[in-house]
Amino acid sequence: MPTIIDIKFGDKWALQNYGLYLSPGIVLEDPEPRTDLIDNPAGDGSIDVSEALTGEIRYKDRNIELTLAKPKYEKGWQSSLSSFVNDVHGRRIDVVLPLYPDYHFVGRLRAVADFRGNKGLSIISVTGVMEPYRYKNELTKVSATVPDSGSLTLNLVNERMTTLPTFTISADSQITFNATTYSHIKGTFTLANVFLTQGDNPITIKATAGTKVTITYQEGAL
């Protein structure tokens, strides 16, 4: 028996909560890189300054298009369509697609209902302008205890999106990242110059033995 595919809008599911079926053919564009090429009047080609300001490439929003349908012979189909449009149309919400069940996209959606023929189906066309990254549904959390040596080294593995981690440390500490050391009192905090990039991000925390350390961060992928 084939698996019934569902899609999540905010905290509700199209099929489970509205009785709306997802039609084949979701269109999800890849985000376009923000490039800046300056013509080189004194030589061949151009000068690429796309990463000059931030040190990495940035991306534009991406578009999404999909269609939901509900048979008109099902009881309450008008109410289902109306509820969906009222909950979704014009709002900025999270969307979970069946292709990426562990991630969500964020953007502003338009939902337009079509009550015409369509062979006994009522149709809702959904379009949206979404942020370039898809975000993991759960924050990544790394927890450890400073050993007797007083020095704890962790490797924070991160996906494509550069992200700012949050530290929760139970004692005053010294944090070394990319050859720079930061001193901070105990508590929950972020460090303005500590950003995790794609791949491995080793970090060392020096504190009293037994100090509890938790680092959380939002991962995102294209």
Side-chain angles (χ1 to χ4, degrees), residues 28-32 60-64 100 105 128-134 221-222:
L28 178 66
E29 296 180 357
D30 288 328
E32 180 183 347
K60 298 180 182 179
D61 290 332
R62 64 167 89 198
N63 294 320
I64 188 174
Y100 303 109
F105 296 83
V129 178
M130 318 303 286
E131 294 181 8
Y133 288 100
R134 51 185 166 95
L222 293 174

Side-chain angles (χ1 to χ4, degrees), residues 7-12 91-97 103-109 130-131 135 137:
I7 180 171
K8 192 176 185 181
F9 296 89
D11 59 356
K12 295 182 180 180
R91 289 186 169 170
R92 182 176 178 83
I93 59 177
D94 297 349
V95 178
V96 178
L97 300 178
Y103 296 80
H104 62 275
F105 296 83
V106 180
R108 192 169 299 281
L109 302 180
M130 318 303 286
E131 294 181 8
Y135 304 102
N137 293 334

Side-chain angles (χ1 to χ4, degrees), residues 10-25:
D11 59 356
K12 295 182 180 180
W13 293 88
L15 183 57
Q16 293 180 30
N17 298 108
Y18 301 101
L20 299 172
Y21 294 87
L22 177 63
S23 299

Side-chain angles (χ1 to χ4, degrees), residues 104-161:
H104 62 275
F105 296 83
V106 180
R108 192 169 299 281
L109 302 180
R110 296 182 72 249
V112 180
D114 183 355
F115 297 97
R116 294 172 295 182
N118 294 312
K119 298 181 179 180
L121 293 176
S122 50
I123 301 295
I124 294 183
S125 298
V126 180
T127 59
V129 178
M130 318 303 286
E131 294 181 8
Y133 288 100
R134 51 185 166 95
Y135 304 102
K136 278 191 173 181
N137 293 334
E138 303 293 334
L139 294 177
T140 300
K141 179 182 291 187
V142 178
S143 297
T145 301
V146 175
D148 292 340
S149 65
S151 180
L152 172 67
T153 297
L154 300 171
N155 183 33
L156 307 178
V157 181
N158 184 46
E159 292 205 40
R160 178 64 179 82
M161 182 183 73

